[in-house]
Each structure stands twice: as structure tokens, then as C-alpha cells.
Amino acid sequence: MVKGKKVWIVVGAVVILAIIVIASVSSSQRDAVLVQTATVQRKDVLKSTVTASGEIRAKTSVNVQSEISGIITDLPVHEGNTVKKGDVLLSIDPIQTDSDMIAARAQYDASAADARGQEFEILNAENNLMRDEASLRSSRSELEQAENNYSRAQSSFNRQRELFEDGLISRDSYETEQNSLKSAKSNLDIRKASVNQIENQISISKNNIAKMKASMTASSARAKQAAANLAKADDQSKKAKIPSPMDGVITQLNKEKGERAVPGMLTNPEATIMVISDMSTIQAQLKVDETDIVNLKLGNAATIKVDALPDVVFQGEVTEIGNSPINATSASTQEAKDFKVIVTLKQPSSHLRPGMSCTGEITTDTKNNVLAIPIQALTVREVEVDKDGKYRRPDPAKKTKTAVVRADAGKSKAQKKELEGVFVIDQNKVARFRPIKTGITGESEIEVTEDLKENEEIVSGSYQTLRTIKEGAAVKIDKTAKSQTEKKS
């Protein structure tokens, strides 16, 4: 009887102990945080990419515009036609331009004839001047001879006068000699007057020639102006027919025969008659966000998907990166900015058309055999750091040593810093924050370069849990979420 009673006491004690253990475990499970987890795994290849949208375009395209105004009288091409450089694309009514050219040519002919007439007059005047200068030289010679004759006649008269005064010659001889002196003096005066007259004539001729040359310079200038107007009118007349500036395809046609062509102006959308594109080189013009543009460089490989050809992936490479934002309206704007990036396709399809919408994925970096974790597992925490800025792990024992904590708090205030890291689950199912260093970012994973080992288990969700979980928190793994994640991977 006593032995049976002892057995019942032992059984009762075991039952009570089991109830206590079960209650304790249930209580701890209720306090544990439900988390989703992931394993640090090694990836064979991890690619960092930038995705952007844009449109297809030809590398070279020309907006064909007219330089003259007029009615389109002939338009032998259609949209989609292939043209060669020099092919006539359209003709504009030439009546106005031809009339202007005829008028300009007549004005030029008249101005040129006037200039040539004045040139002939100058030649005649210069010939007359040369004749007068020859006459002047002859008259000066005759004047010199007359001066010599007068000098001899005066000497002879002086001798005859002395002889006459001495009574050695007759009065007739004296008077004859006196008349000879007067005749020589008269001839000298005539020669002087002739020389003066010719000199005055030469001076007048030189002035007239200078005046005629000035007039001819003006006439030549008018002739040059008329020639320039003629060249302009001839050029305008030739532009009544517009040739193709390049080999290509007419990708846009905005005018019809009978419509009016207007002179090309960038501010006038009606100026573009058609667009010719060189479809031998096709590019994708993408808009890349400013946060991604710094990671790009020329030569980056890219894949392009066109909305109109969903089953085709085009390979290409980055050939141009813009230095200025596309949508910058002012220096003070705070909105996100996009930059132009050009990807040249290596093997374009004949089905591609300029303006088609597309999406590009540019590979900025590729690494092999790296440790990687899900991007969503990465979080940021403000933690205590030492003087070197390194993470200082909290000491669980300090929670019970309140006196020590208060003493330490009185000594100095701990430095804090935001660090990037993950919550690692230890063997006791407790989450421990661990700062890590990361590398390139893939589509859904990010490289870990330091502080994590392969196959370590980390907290990867949920998002709300990652925001609120504390250092040292007990965790409960969501098996359902983990199995689904493993199936996806």
C-alpha cells in the first residue's frame, strides 16, 4: 500500500514537471519573432545590371526640309521607299525662282556692261594722257630752244646797240637787230604758253582718269553684287528640286503632292517634309536614372527587348553616355533626372522601326564564384561603435549587471553610427546583428565580400520584421515561407 502510494507521487511529480516544461516552451514560442530565413550561398555568376526604357532609333537620320517656299508639284517617293544619295525626292513649282534668276541675270549683265564701258573710257583717257605727255615733252624742247634763241638774240642786240651808239653801224641794221630780239621774245612767250596749256590739260586728264577709276570701282562693286544676287537666285532655282542627302529609307513622310513647302525652321514643325534614316545601324536610346548612370561605361554589354517583338532579344553595347540630363528644366529643380544612353545593336532585325518602344538591360559588372544573399535581407541599424568606427556587439551580461551599466553610463556616452548588415540566426535560434561589406548587386541578390560564411542562416523577411527586429531577439522560423523560397530558387 505504501509502495503504491510512492509510485503515484512520482508519477504526479513527473506530470507536473512536464506541464511546467510545456508551459515554459509555449511561453517562449509565443515571445519568439516569426521570421523568414535564407542561407548564404555561393553563386557561380552574379551580374550587376541597370534597366531602363527608351525607343529604337537609326544612328543617322536627316530631316529633309525645303529652303524655298512653294507648291510641291512632284513627289515620286513614298514612306518606306529606299533611296540613294542624289535621288530627286520632290519638286517645287519653279516659276518664282526662275523669274528671280532671270531678273538677277539681267541686272548682272547690265552692271557688267556698265563696268566694261567705263573700263574702255579709262583706257582711252589714259591713251590721251600719254599723247599729251608726249606733246608736253616736245613743247618743253621747243621752249628750251626758244629760250636759247632769245638769249642769242639779246646778246647780238646788245653788241649792235653799242656799235650803233658808237656810230659804227647804220640805224637800219640796229632796228633790224632790235626786231629780231622782239621776234625771239614773242616766240619764247608762245612756247611758254603752249607748255602751260599742255600741263593744265594733263592735270585735268589725270583728275578725270582718277574720277573715272573711282566710278569704275563703284560699277565693279555693283557688278559683283549683281553676280552674288545671280548666284543666289541660281541656287534658289536649283533648290526647287530636292535631292536625297544620303542613302537610306524614308521613315516618315509629312507632305503630299499639292501641299505647300515652307522654308525650314527648327521652331516650325511644318518645315520637315520627310525623314530619311540609315537603317544599317540601329540603336536604342535609353533613359537611365541619375543614380545608375555613374555605374555605366562605354562598351558595357546590353540586351534590348522591343515591345513589338516580345520573343526576340537583341544584343548590343553602350556606345554613348550623355553628360547632361535629358529632362533638366532648371538648375534648382529637385526632381529625379534621366540621362541619355545609346546602345548600338549588333544584329538588328529588318522589322525594327524608329520610334518603337523598348527596354534595355545593361550589364555593369560580372563576378564569378561569389557569396551572395537576398537583397531584402540587408538592413541598416544605428549601433554602438568603438573609436575606430567598428561595430561593438552588445554584452548580454550587462542587462543583469545594472550597477555596472550605471557606472559605465556615467563615464562616457557611447558613439553610435548607422551600419549596413544582416541578422544572423545562431544555434540558439537568436538573431544577432552583424555588419557586412557588400559588392555588386544583381537582380535579386547582392554580393557579400566580408563577415559572412557560406551556409550561414540569416533573416530575410518579412519586411516589417526586418524593420522592427532587435538584437538578441528569439526567432521562430516560418517553414512554409522558407520552403516556398527554396522551390523558387
Side-chain angles (χ1 to χ4, degrees):
M1 185 70 180
V2 174
K3 186 177 179 180
K5 187 176 182 180
K6 289 182 179 180
V7 171
W8 283 107
I9 293 173
V10 171
V11 173
V14 171
V15 172
I16 293 171
L17 181 61
I19 293 173
I20 293 173
V21 171
I22 294 172
S24 176
V25 171
S26 299
S27 177
S28 62
Q29 288 182 346
R30 284 196 301 270
D31 294 337
V33 179
L34 184 64
V35 298
Q36 300 165 9
T37 63
T39 304
V40 181
Q41 296 180 343
R42 189 166 295 277
K43 295 281 293 185
D44 294 334
V45 179
L46 183 63
K47 292 183 178 181
S48 178
T49 60
V50 171
T51 302
S53 60
E55 63 179 20
I56 297 297
R57 72 168 200 178
K59 180 180 180 181
T60 304
S61 61
V62 176
N63 292 341
V64 178
Q65 299 177 336
S66 173
E67 295 186 39
I68 62 174
S69 177
I71 301 299
I72 299 175
T73 57
D74 189 21
L75 189 63
V77 296
H78 302 281
E79 190 167 319
N81 286 167
T82 300
V83 294
K84 297 291 185 181
K85 183 177 180 179
D87 289 350
V88 175
L89 302 176
L90 69 140
S91 299
I92 298 175
D93 187 359
I95 293 178
Q96 181 65 45
T97 54
D98 288 349
S99 299
D100 292 342
M101 186 181 67
I102 293 172
R105 184 175 294 280
Q107 184 180 6
Y108 168 72
D109 291 341
S111 299
D114 185 31
R116 286 195 297 271
Q118 290 186 350
E119 185 178 358
F120 290 143
E121 290 180 2
I122 291 174
L123 289 174
N124 291 333
E126 288 177 341
N127 290 332
N128 292 335
L129 176 61
M130 293 172 63
R131 181 194 62 194
D132 292 341
E133 288 176 342
S135 298
L136 177 61
R137 289 192 294 272
S138 177
S139 295
R140 283 176 175 172
S141 298
E142 292 175 354
L143 174 60
E144 183 178 0
Q145 184 179 0
E147 288 175 342
N148 292 334
N149 291 336
Y150 175 72
S151 178
R152 286 195 300 271
Q154 191 173 24
S155 298
S156 176
F157 172 74
N158 289 335
R159 288 193 301 272
Q160 292 298 323
R161 185 178 59 184
E162 290 177 356
L163 293 174
F164 175 73
E165 289 176 351
D166 293 339
L168 297 177
I169 61 173
S170 64
R171 178 174 290 278
D172 290 339
S173 298
Y174 171 73
E175 288 178 352
T176 299
E177 196 65 32
Q178 189 178 30
N179 290 333
S180 296
L181 177 62
K182 290 180 180 180
S183 177
K185 180 67 170 63
S186 176
N187 186 47
L188 176 62
D189 292 340
I190 291 172
R191 295 305 175 192
K192 286 183 177 179
S194 178
V195 169
N196 289 334
Q197 181 181 3
I198 295 175
E199 287 179 343
N200 291 334
Q201 182 63 36
I202 289 175
S203 178
I204 293 172
S205 296
K206 287 183 177 179
N207 291 335
N208 288 336
I209 289 174
K211 182 178 179 180
M212 293 168 66
K213 285 184 176 180
S215 179
M216 191 189 73
T217 301
S219 296
S220 298
R222 286 192 292 271
K224 289 181 179 179
Q225 181 181 8
N229 291 335
L230 175 60
K232 180 180 178 181
D234 182 61
D235 180 64
Q236 294 291 93
S237 179
K238 291 178 180 177
K239 287 175 179 176
K241 293 183 180 295
I242 300 180
S244 175
M246 58 181 284
D247 296 348
V249 176
I250 299 175
T251 54
Q252 185 176 345
L253 184 61
N254 300 326
K255 295 289 185 180
E256 297 289 342
K257 181 178 177 180
E259 293 184 336
R260 174 173 289 275
V262 295
M265 295 178 61
L266 294 177
T267 56
N268 187 359
E270 294 294 326
T272 299
I273 300 173
M274 65 183 71
V275 178
I276 299 178
S277 303
D278 179 7
M279 302 300 291
S280 61
T281 303
I282 304 297
Q283 298 177 329
Q285 180 174 315
L286 306 177
K287 294 181 180 180
V288 177
D289 188 82
E290 59 184 329
T291 57
D292 294 323
I293 195 70
V294 294
N295 298 320
L296 301 185
K297 59 180 180 292
L298 295 177
N300 282 152
T303 57
I304 302 297
K305 293 184 178 180
V306 181
D307 294 353
L309 303 171
D311 299 328
V312 183
V313 177
F314 298 96
Q315 302 297 324
E317 67 175 22
V318 176
T319 54
E320 182 181 337
I321 300 175
N323 289 319
S324 301
I326 299 173
N327 55 346
T329 55
S330 66
S332 60
T333 182
Q334 298 298 318
E335 64 181 7
K337 298 178 179 63
D338 294 326
F339 286 76
K340 180 180 73 173
V341 173
I342 302 298
V343 174
T344 301
L345 305 187
K346 294 181 178 180
Q347 293 181 337
S349 168
S350 59
H351 297 294
L352 293 177
R353 297 289 183 270
M356 285 184 171
S357 299
C358 65
T359 302
E361 186 177 274
I362 304 170
T363 301
T364 59
D365 201 353
T366 302
K367 288 188 178 181
N368 299 320
N369 193 26
V370 296
L371 289 179
I373 62 173
I375 295 176
Q376 70 269 19
L378 196 63
T379 185
V380 176
R381 286 292 188 273
E382 185 180 48
V383 296
E384 292 185 4
V385 295
D386 59 19
K387 61 180 181 179
D388 297 326
K390 295 183 178 180
Y391 176 55
R392 179 190 296 172
R393 184 185 296 278
D395 186 0
K398 285 187 177 182
K399 294 182 179 180
T400 59
K401 300 177 181 178
T402 56
V404 177
V405 172
R406 290 172 184 170
D408 290 344
K411 291 180 181 179
S412 62
K413 186 176 181 180
Q415 295 181 357
K416 289 191 175 183
K417 182 180 179 181
E418 284 191 346
L419 295 179
E420 195 175 49
V422 296
F423 281 93
V424 181
I425 300 175
D426 64 14
Q427 59 186 358
N428 297 321
K429 300 300 181 183
V430 174
R432 299 293 183 185
F433 180 75
R434 186 185 300 177
I436 63 172
K437 291 186 178 179
T438 59
I440 66 173
T441 303
E443 183 177 355
S444 60
E445 296 171 308
I446 187 168
E447 176 193 8
V448 178
T449 58
E450 293 182 15
D451 303 317
L452 274 182
K453 297 179 181 179
E454 189 174 359
N455 295 324
E456 284 192 289
E457 193 172 21
I458 59 175
V459 177
S460 62
S462 64
Y463 175 73
Q464 182 64 27
T465 300
L466 282 169
R467 287 186 58 189
T468 58
I469 191 170
K470 304 294 184 182
E471 164 68 23
V475 297
K476 179 182 179 181
I477 300 174
D478 186 349
K479 299 293 185 180
T480 304
K482 184 173 181 180
S483 62
Q484 289 177 354
T485 303
E486 290 175 351
K487 287 180 181 179
K488 289 181 181 179
S489 61

